[in-house]
Amino acid sequence: MTAQLSTRALIAGYEDRVVLDGLDLDLPGGEFTAIVGPNACGKSTLLRTLARLLKPRSGTVLLDGAAVRDLPTREVARRLAVLPQSPLVPEGVTVAELVARGRQPYQRWWQQWSTSDAEAVREAMALADVDGIADRPVDTLSGGQRQRVWIAMTLAQDTDILLLDEPTTFLDPAHQVEILNLVHRLRSERGRTVVAVLHDLNQAARYADHLVAMRGGAVVAAGPPRTILTVDLVRDVFGLDCLVVPCPASGAPLVVPTWPVTVSPGKDA
Amino acid sequence: MTSATIGRSVVRAGAVTVLVRRRSVMVAGALLVVLAAAVLASLCVGSRYIAPLDVLRALPGDGTPYDVVVRQLRLPRTVLAVVVGAAFGVGGALIQSVSRNPLASPDIIGITQGAGLAATVALTTGAAAALVAPAALAGGLLAAAVVLALGSRHGLAARRFVLAGVAVAVALRSLTEVVMLSADPIDGLRAQIWLIGTLAGRGWTEAAYVAVTLAVLLPVLLWAGWALDSSALDDDTARGLGVRPVARRTGFVVTGVLAAAMATAQVGAVDFVALVAPQVARRLVRAERPPLLCAALVGAVLVVLADLLGRRLFAPTQLPAGVLTAALGGPYLLFLLVRGRRRVL
Ligand SMILES: Nc1ncnc2c1ncn2[C@@H]1O[C@H](COP(=O)(O)OP(=O)(O)OP(=O)(O)O)[C@@H](O)[C@H]1O
Ligand SMILES: [Mg+2]
């Protein structure tokens, strides 16, 4: 069975504001879901709530039908890994050390290392293409290199579900494609469920099986990109006038802003 | 990917598998040698020099002429210096890891000041001498409780916690001054010496209190030596790894406070040890946070040396160990700051 996440009547936010107001969302298991939406619309808040980093005010997050808040946090960490949007880079920690920290959920102080830890760390570093910089301190790396190290750390967690907040930000085009290909492989070869916040609509349309478009803390549309990604949706969500044409390479919908570009700021801007 | 890639060696003992930093092992070994040398020097040197071989012969107490001096005068005080230094080192390392601030230590965040105020009150109100240490312990723990309560509203976030500590420390220090000024000058002087921190006239009893505290905390310290690896991660990342960061931080701080408060209660505020030892250890090991065992060893070396120098430097005038640690620690920290390639703050 593939792992599945959903929310029921989810209300979440911060001290001074409610961001998600009664969200019902199903993220299909074994698929790659891309979340898109304008800045500050609540994508990270949603991801953090799904990953139990943020406690909802009410409502539930369900992991394979069980309320996440009732599960031991270590057990959740073995089933669900999360890459926050901008993690704090610890000083003086090498790449290999940081990736190895992804094994925390499997370790105890009296059981600090096992062969499966070693194997998972090795594989994660190879998949994220950071094995060449294993000995470098993370705080001396470029933004894109750091991003790949964090991705490697979440991969080392060896979970069925991966939640990635803007995994391709900071990456050059080739590494963006590499990460998206990696995500695609994890999903198709290993049946992983991947949920990623992406800003590039065309990448989202090309790679994702399932697209969730958000605006102002609510889901405007959810479904396969080919059915939901339309001119109206883009205007509605981003206030951007565009053409949607089939991508000549993949056939996925391709969003091309009209010329001259006009932007009518969305509700949240 | 083997453990060697992360600079660690796997050590197995029965069902227990631990990772040890390779450099930690080397550094700890070297520090042990230095500590042994410092201890031996401390036993040899005094108002009368005793040769190392004679000291070693006197230790078992089979009636050599030096038995009394070595076993009853110098050994208790030296052992006290070792355990107190270790407690300060461990306490400082834990508090600095949580605050992510090398300037945070028991003497900055109010523990020392709480102990100092309580000790000053005890010393100036004519309380029994036996009450000074318990009062100081209570004062230190109480101050720490206030700091924790103030900091815990924000989950003991690093900056909050340090700010709360500094505020409490300043308030307590001024209160101490008030008490001291309104006291009899002789009592005030005794309080002043207590505040500086000295090992003079103390021995087995004090050492036993600190040693037992460390022994009781040992299981927690073993856990902390591993769990501290998550202290450099932000809370979201740590939670994602199944760690409860606030609970962990509370555990670290409480452990550090207990070790430091007990040591302070026994010998007074031997300044800077808790601050400098973890940083020296961190640099020796080249780790991202102070390593506990090495911090303890550096702390022990520092206090033994400070006490030794205090006794001999201006003999027959005896300087309290706290004067020496402050005098040595301050410049050394400056030296590290100036020389260090890495950002320290
Ligand atoms: N820690 C916080 N405390 C208070 N408000 C916050 C916090 N984090 C985010 N917010 C607010 O919540 C709202 C949603 O933020 P969120 O980070 O979820 O947006 P986002 O969709 O991820 O945006 P972006 O594309 O810029 O990453 C915003 O109005 C933001 O200002
Ligand atoms: Mg975001």
Side-chain angles (χ1 to χ4, degrees), chain A residues 14 16-17 19 38-45 85 166 199:
Chain A
Y14 304 92
D16 52 336
R17 78 188 79 203
V19 178
N39 289 140
C41 74
K43 304 181 296 293
S44 298
T45 306
Q85 184 166 358
E166 304 198 17
H199 274 302

Side-chain angles (χ1 to χ4, degrees), chain A residues 48 88 91 97 110 112, chain B residues 8 17 19 229 234 236 288:
Chain A
R48 295 183 63 219
L88 180 82
E91 262 176 59
E97 282 175 320
W110 63 87
Q112 298 179 7
Chain B
R8 312 280 215 280
T17 309
L19 279 183
D229 269 355
D234 61 88
D236 266 9
E288 87 270 12

